[in-house]
Amino acid sequence: MGKSLFGRLFLSYTGIIFLTLVVISLVLSALFNSFYYTSKEKELVSQGQEIAGLLSASPKEPQNQEAVDLILRTLRSRSKTRIIVIDREGLNLASNEGSSPYPGLRLEPAESQGLLQGKVITWRRHNPRLNETILAAAVPFSVGEQVGGAILLFTPVADTRETITAVRRLILYAAGVAIFLALIPGYLLSRSISRPIRHMSALTLEMARGNFHQQVPITSRDEIGQLAENFNHLAIKLEQTVNTLLKEKTKNESILANLAEGVIATDRQGRVILLNPGAERVLELKQDEVLHRSLEEIKDCPSLGALFRDAMAAGEQRWGELTMTGGKLVLLARVAPLWEEKKGIYGAVGVLQDITEFKKTEQLRRDLIADVSHELRTPLTSIQGFCEALLDGVEEDRVAQEECLKMIHRESLRLNQLINELLDLARLEAGKVNWELNPIEVPDLFAGVLFKLKPQLAEKQIRVEQEITPGVPVVPGNAGRIEQVLSNLLENAIRFSPPGGVIKMQATYNENEVSISVSDQGPGIPGEELPFIWERFYRVEKSRSRALGGTGLGLAIVKQIVENHGGKVAVISRQGTGSTFSFTLPLAPS
């Protein structure tokens, strides 16, 4: 209880009241004690003066015992106070008991001197003989022109103490009742102060859990009420601030989560404190696995960790191209230090951009330029050489001239075919196609292509086997382009098949698509070359391919035509066992 505000307030309130009443009780007791003793002394003095007046008015002979006894008997009924009359020499003449009940009672010399001078003397003194404290008063009386003696009045203090003790007990009872009655308003006051604060304390815990909707009831307009009002205002403002921060946090998290680039943040020691999904995807890591670990300790990230350390050491942005995962991943990393006015540099943040495809595209562009230049240079060199021979008159024979012209014509056709195929491929890759789609019968497609390539088949004595699943449905497509695809695949099969070989053409279907394949008995393609077979100007054996008349663009055009029809291309090949090229065409929706 003493640890709570209510307990401290209640105990403090009770303690103050208790201490106040105790002090008041002690003061009242002391005042009453002093007042009572003073009143008693005045009473004794008053009685003594009354007796002294009677004695002064009696006969002048103090030895007249009968007269004195009469006066004392008269006073006896009026007071319980003991009275002794002494003459000037201090002799005991009489008392209200007939004899002195307090033998051994003596006056101090100073007191006797004061009495002789006509002064009234009072005192409290312990009588060792009687072992009792007495309250006494001595009043002088006159006989003629001088002090004839004194009346000594005294009473035991015990009777007075009993009265004072009873009064003190009454004061204590009154104080106890007052304390008890004061506990009720003290309890109510302490609770009225502590209840709003206790309520605020409970609400702070709710606010810590994210609940800002509860309010403290305002029951007064004092400081506690003002505090409750300010607390409610604080809760509203805090809720608005938290909601704003949550929106900003959600927005930042959404931005980080949807960034294509990877974002990594580290502390001053280079330990990871943030890894967004983009960075997880690029680095093939999970945030839970690398959180609070140093970048330099993470597999494949030492160079990245060194870049972060360099940026923090220099206090400025650093960037670099990093090759990771055995050369399969190329990153462009930009790292900037995190700086705060009071803390200084407390970490770094880096943006990682995967430029692997960009690098591949750059390499392909360079390869394309080199390949195109090489492909153009060969026919142009031939044309140039034969033209120079004709112009120089080297070939004067008519037959030789005709051979030169035929060679120039063949190379110009080859050059024209290369340019047309490049332009055709560029249009296909750009998606600039507007083909008219017609129903295509697969048997008719096979027949048309075989008829067109019949001379080439006959020249190499190659036999073609057809396997068409019965009931192959009609597929939508551009007949000319699909025929171009099949012709290209069949031409390649003829080109690479040995004389007298067999080529197999198949057509199957399922509920979604029709699949067409061309299989040859050629030398096959090495497994490591298969992923690149559909790229422009790619040849497995470049010298042999050129000797066979290929440009290296046919399969790239096939892939683009099929994909523009919504289909897919595929190849299965093993070196020395031939190759199977296939493509699919989707059926028209029912």
Side-chain angles (χ1 to χ4, degrees):
M1 180 177 175
K3 293 183 179 180
S4 65
L5 177 62
F6 169 79
R8 291 199 297 271
L9 285 173
F10 184 67
L11 292 177
S12 300
Y13 182 83
T14 304
I16 291 172
I17 293 175
F18 178 78
L19 182 61
T20 302
L21 290 177
V22 167
V23 172
I24 291 175
S25 298
L26 293 175
V27 171
L28 286 176
S29 178
L31 289 175
F32 179 78
N33 186 53
S34 175
F35 171 77
Y36 192 81
Y37 278 114
T38 302
S39 298
K40 198 67 176 175
E41 287 175 354
K42 288 181 179 180
E43 182 183 346
L44 293 177
V45 171
S46 177
Q47 291 178 358
Q49 289 175 344
E50 184 178 359
I51 296 171
L54 291 174
L55 290 175
S56 297
S58 65
K60 295 183 179 179
E61 291 297 328
Q63 292 83 3
N64 192 349
Q65 188 67 40
E66 292 181 359
V68 174
D69 291 339
L70 177 63
I71 294 171
L72 294 179
R73 282 195 299 271
T74 303
L75 294 175
R76 182 178 182 182
S77 60
R78 298 173 57 187
S79 174
K80 294 181 180 181
T81 303
R82 306 300 189 266
I83 301 172
I84 300 175
V85 179
I86 59 176
D87 59 8
R88 189 176 182 88
E89 287 77 19
L91 298 175
N92 185 1
L93 297 180
S95 72
N96 60 347
E97 295 292 335
S99 62
S100 175
Y102 293 96
L105 182 64
R106 292 290 182 270
L107 292 173
E108 297 292 336
E111 294 171 344
S112 299
Q113 189 66 32
L115 288 171
L116 290 174
Q117 294 175 0
K119 296 179 180 179
V120 176
I121 304 299
T122 60
W123 72 89
R124 271 180 288 177
R125 188 175 299 160
H126 181 73
N127 190 329
R129 184 173 180 179
L130 300 176
N131 193 23
E132 187 178 21
T133 301
I134 61 173
L135 177 63
V139 180
F141 64 89
S142 300
V143 177
E145 298 296 329
Q146 64 177 356
V147 175
I151 298 94
L152 186 62
L153 301 94
F154 54 91
T155 184
V157 176
D159 295 338
T160 305
R161 284 179 177 173
E162 290 178 0
T163 303
I164 294 174
T165 302
V167 173
R168 286 177 176 174
R169 189 179 298 112
L170 182 61
I171 293 173
L172 290 176
Y173 288 157
V177 172
I179 291 174
F180 176 76
L181 294 177
L183 291 179
I184 297 174
Y187 174 82
L188 296 176
L189 178 62
S190 300
R191 191 176 65 171
S192 67
I193 295 175
S194 63
R195 178 182 288 178
I197 297 177
R198 189 166 57 249
H199 197 174
M200 292 179 204
S201 178
L203 290 187
T204 55
L205 295 178
E206 289 296 321
M207 291 168 63
R209 299 186 186 102
N211 181 10
F212 300 95
H213 300 295
Q214 300 187 45
Q215 296 283 296
V216 178
I218 301 173
T219 57
S220 64
R221 289 296 174 184
D222 55 8
E223 288 81 357
I224 297 296
Q226 186 64 41
L227 177 61
E229 186 176 350
N230 293 340
F231 185 87
N232 293 338
H233 180 69
L234 173 64
I236 294 172
K237 289 296 183 183
L238 189 58
E239 181 180 15
Q240 294 174 353
T241 303
V242 170
N243 288 338
T244 302
L245 292 176
L246 285 175
K247 289 179 182 178
E248 288 296 322
K249 180 176 179 290
T250 303
K251 181 175 71 176
N252 292 335
E253 287 178 349
S254 178
I255 292 173
L256 286 175
N258 292 284
L259 275 177
E261 292 79 6
V263 178
I264 298 179
T266 66
D267 59 13
R268 189 68 180 86
Q269 287 72 38
R271 295 187 295 261
V272 177
I273 58 176
L274 173 68
L275 195 73
N276 79 328
E280 291 181 340
R281 182 177 60 257
V282 169
L283 299 176
E284 297 181 353
L285 297 171
K286 293 295 182 183
Q287 179 168 286
D288 295 340
E289 299 174 356
V290 300
L291 205 60
H292 306 304
R293 289 180 58 193
S294 173
L295 271 178
E296 296 182 349
E297 298 175 1
I298 300 172
K299 181 182 178 182
D300 297 327
C301 293
S303 54
L304 185 60
L307 189 63
F308 269 75
R309 189 176 62 253
D310 186 28
M312 287 187 286
E316 59 185 13
Q317 183 175 340
R318 289 286 188 265
W319 69 277
E321 288 187 9
L322 308 176
T323 302
M324 309 177 74
T325 62
K328 296 180 180 179
L329 180 66
V330 182
L331 297 178
L332 177 63
R334 295 180 177 87
V335 182
L338 296 172
W339 184 85
E340 194 174 280
E341 185 174 354
K342 294 182 179 179
K343 293 182 179 179
I345 295 175
Y346 63 91
V349 61
V351 178
L352 310 180
Q353 185 178 2
D354 185 359
I355 59 172
T356 306
E357 292 300 323
F358 173 77
K359 286 292 184 179
K360 289 181 179 179
T361 303
E362 270 302 296
Q363 187 61 42
L364 288 175
R365 185 183 64 81
R366 288 193 292 267
D367 292 344
L368 175 63
I369 293 173
D371 289 338
V372 169
S373 301
H374 186 81
E375 294 293 337
L376 292 175
R377 183 178 61 184
T378 301
L380 286 175
T381 301
S382 298
I383 291 171
Q384 180 182 353
F386 286 114
C387 287
E388 289 176 351
L390 291 174
L391 290 174
D392 292 340
V394 174
E395 301 292 348
E396 297 181 355
D397 184 12
R398 181 70 178 175
V399 176
Q401 290 179 354
E402 288 182 359
E403 288 297 326
C404 287
L405 291 174
K406 286 181 181 179
M407 184 62 69
I408 292 172
H409 181 259
R410 185 172 69 249
E411 292 298 328
S412 63
L413 290 177
R414 181 181 174 189
L415 186 60
N416 187 56
Q417 179 188 1
L418 176 62
I419 294 173
N420 287 334
E421 287 182 347
L422 283 172
L423 292 175
D424 195 17
L425 183 60
R427 283 193 295 270
L428 291 170
E429 289 179 341
K432 296 179 180 180
V433 293
N434 188 18
W435 296 327
E436 180 182 351
L437 301 181
N438 302 304
I440 300 174
E441 297 281 354
V442 175
D444 293 342
L445 176 66
F446 279 20
V449 171
L450 288 173
F451 180 78
K452 185 167 58 174
L453 297 179
K454 187 176 181 179
Q456 298 180 32
L457 292 169
E459 182 180 354
K460 296 189 69 173
Q461 298 179 350
I462 294 175
R463 180 167 53 89
V464 177
E465 295 180 354
Q466 300 184 56
E467 290 185 8
I468 301 176
T469 302
V472 172
V474 174
V475 292
N478 184 273
R481 288 292 187 175
I482 298 302
E483 184 176 328
Q484 180 183 357
V485 169
L486 188 58
S487 297
N488 195 297
L489 295 180
L490 190 56
E491 282 181 351
N492 284 343
I494 295 171
R495 186 178 299 120
F496 291 101
S497 292
V502 177
I503 296 175
K504 193 177 203 179
M505 297 175 64
Q506 290 180 301
T508 59
Y509 71 95
N510 56 36
E511 60 181 7
N512 297 319
E513 61 188 12
V514 170
S515 177
I516 299 173
S517 63
V518 177
S519 301
D520 62 44
Q521 296 178 335
I525 304 170
E528 64 273 10
E529 305 285 347
L530 290 177
F532 312 103
I533 200 70
W534 305 100
E535 293 180 2
R536 292 172 291 187
F537 296 109
Y538 190 83
R539 298 183 178 89
V540 179
E541 296 181 24
K542 294 181 170 52
S543 60
R544 184 168 178 267
S545 299
R546 287 197 179 93
L548 294 173
T551 62
L553 295 174
L555 290 179
I557 293 174
V558 165
K559 182 175 183 290
Q560 291 297 324
I561 292 174
V562 171
E563 289 181 351
N564 276 281
H565 276 80
K568 297 178 181 178
V569 295
V571 58
I572 299 174
S573 180
R574 295 181 64 183
Q575 202 165 8
T577 60
S579 304
T580 299
F581 287 84
S582 63
F583 64 94
T584 61
L585 295 173
L587 297 176
S590 56

